[in-house]
Structures are given as C-alpha cells and as structure tokens.
Amino acid sequence: MGKVRTVTDQDFDEIVLDSDRAVLVDFWAPWCGPCRMMGPILDTMAQQHDGKIDIVKVNVDESPVTAKRYSVLSMPTLLVFDHGEVVTTLVGAKPRTMIEKALGSYLA
C-alpha cells in the first residue's frame, strides 16, 4: 500500500477484517486537533513499513456504524487488527515510538 488509505462503513470488512496482514486503523475526525497531529506520523509509518502492516483511516463522522461497532468514544483511537481481531488498542495522540512499540512483531 505505502500510503494511508481511507476506509468507510461500506468497505471496512473487506479491507480490514479480511486482510492477510495486520492493519492499523486510525479512527479520527477532521475537527479533532490531536487526530490531525497523528496524520503525518501515520503517513510516514505507512511508507516506512509498507509490506509489513497496512494503515487506514476511518472518519467517525462519515462512518459512524464502524466507530460504534468498536466502541470508539475518544479520538484518535488506533486499533490494530490481525486476521479480523482487535489485538491492540491505543487511545489518544501517541508519539511514533509508542505506536511502533505497540506494533512490535508486526514490524519485524
């Protein structure tokens, strides 16, 4: 992929849950300041870790069904999915080092 892709309620299952590799999902909103701070970090990570993990964004205002499905109450919320299951949750803006540490073996 190499870049952050936008995912919606309509294609979430196909792109995230059915993926062959781990997927980091960023639940965000355009009005959320900390979410906007995370954007460049995730863009860089998507390029540097291309082929190891996919990174996608879900706008909670445009895809409320998916946000509700995963009980996203605070933003940004980062969920890591592996074979359709949530394996890691990070809530709030985090430094890149903390995100990469949480992704651990997926980036090896």
Side-chain angles (χ1 to χ4, degrees):
M1 196 184 283
K3 64 177 186 162
V4 177
R5 180 175 178 183
T6 298
V7 177
T8 66
D9 285 340
Q10 290 72 34
D11 59 8
F12 184 87
D13 288 4
E14 176 186 345
I15 294 171
V16 176
L17 301 184
D18 295 340
S19 179
D20 292 342
R21 73 176 102 199
V23 181
L24 171 65
V25 181
D26 174 23
F27 288 89
W28 75 289
W31 46 262
C32 168
C35 298
R36 290 193 310 269
M37 287 176 19
M38 295 298 300
I41 293 170
L42 297 176
D43 289 339
T44 300
M45 287 179 62
Q47 291 174 354
Q48 291 187 337
H49 300 298
D50 186 28
K52 297 178 184 173
I53 189 167
D54 292 334
I55 300 177
V56 302
K57 297 174 85 65
V58 175
N59 182 328
V60 298
D61 292 337
E62 295 174 356
S63 298
V65 173
T66 302
K68 183 176 181 181
R69 180 177 175 187
Y70 292 100
S71 303
V72 174
L73 302 174
S74 299
M75 286 166 294
T77 291
L78 304 176
L79 299 181
V80 179
F81 288 80
D82 187 5
H83 295 93
E85 299 292 324
V86 177
V87 294
T88 303
T89 302
L90 298 169
V91 178
K94 304 290 183 210
R96 178 178 169 177
T97 53
M98 184 178 283
I99 298 168
E100 289 177 334
K101 183 176 180 181
L103 294 174
S105 63
Y106 299 108
L107 302 181

